[in-house]
Amino acid sequence: MPIHLNDLDVSSEVAGLSSALIVPCNMCPAVTIAVREEKPFIQLFRSFLKSVPFEQHIRDMQSQLSKNGVKTEVFKSNLPHQWFVCMWTSGRRKKLREYARRYEAAIVLGCDTATETVRDSVKSANCKVIEGMEVAGFMNAKLKVRLPCDVTFQDCKIIPITQRKNGEGKSDWHSNHWQ
């Protein structure tokens, strides 16, 4: 159940800046881009643990930012246990804080919780946090592995994130224990 994300235009947020660190979550945004472009999420024998469509998306973003005079670097997280920004260890967060000191802004490619992780990590680094994507809903899809080990998603639907009003649909246990 990856989260489906929409791109945000960051040009007004980076106006006047000369440097930005792009901080991507490698799961939900990568799935979103692969589905949108109708390409494999991962091709294990061609690019191992990298999502080619997402890598291209990031390069395109860097190119656009460069045209606006903003130098960028990508904060890479190549190990699978580091893919989910929202679940980074304290050591990974510390490393981000150290990197962020060299940049005026950190552009987060991920959901609200990824943005919060980055914001929390860089607050002492005097680095502006910019959301590069916004949550559109949950993605409901069928995972498919095609030869030679291409991981794709089919029959994708975006399911809106709904919020119940005044406890509608909550069980008595939920109402009594979560207040």
Side-chain angles (χ1 to χ4, degrees), residues 18-174:
S18 61
S19 65
L21 181 64
I22 298 172
V23 184
C25 180
N26 289 323
M27 185 51 66
C28 296
V31 170
T32 295
I33 300 300
V35 166
R36 181 172 69 203
E37 296 184 7
E38 298 178 356
K39 294 182 178 175
F41 164 58
I42 291 182
Q43 296 175 295
L44 289 174
F45 291 127
R46 291 189 188 118
S47 57
F48 192 50
L49 293 176
K50 293 184 180 183
S51 176
V52 172
F54 190 48
E55 294 284 322
Q56 183 60 51
H57 180 77
I58 292 170
R59 283 191 301 274
D60 291 346
M61 175 182 253
Q62 286 182 286
S63 176
Q64 187 61 42
L65 290 167
S66 178
K67 288 177 186 174
N68 293 331
V70 181
K71 289 189 283 184
T72 61
E73 184 179 347
V74 180
F75 188 72
K76 301 265 185 191
S77 297
N78 294 323
L79 300 174
H81 74 279
Q82 297 174 348
W83 278 8
F84 295 88
V85 172
C86 60
M87 294 189 278
W88 277 354
T89 62
S90 58
R92 190 76 186 144
R93 293 169 191 232
K94 181 180 177 185
K95 187 170 187 172
L96 173 62
R97 183 173 37 258
E98 292 166 6
Y99 264 74
R101 287 190 173 113
R102 297 181 270 175
Y103 298 90
E104 295 171 280
I107 301 171
V108 183
L109 300 181
C111 68
D112 297 351
T113 189
T115 301
E116 185 60 25
T117 298
V118 172
R119 184 176 287 116
D120 215 30
S121 300
V122 304
K123 64 184 166 193
S124 66
N126 198 23
C127 182
K128 177 182 181 178
V129 176
I130 300 170
E131 292 180 272
M133 302 181 107
E134 68 181 350
V135 173
F138 294 110
M139 188 179 306
N140 181 290
K142 294 176 187 167
L143 181 71
K144 182 164 174 108
V145 178
R146 295 186 308 205
L147 293 177
C149 284
D150 290 358
V151 178
T152 63
F153 295 89
Q154 296 178 328
D155 302 327
C156 298
K157 296 179 225 161
I158 311 307
I159 310 302
I161 297 173
T162 58
Q163 296 193 8
R164 300 180 194 268
K165 297 177 185 170
N166 299 326
E168 283 179 25
K170 292 181 184 176
S171 69
D172 287 338
W173 185 89
H174 184 274

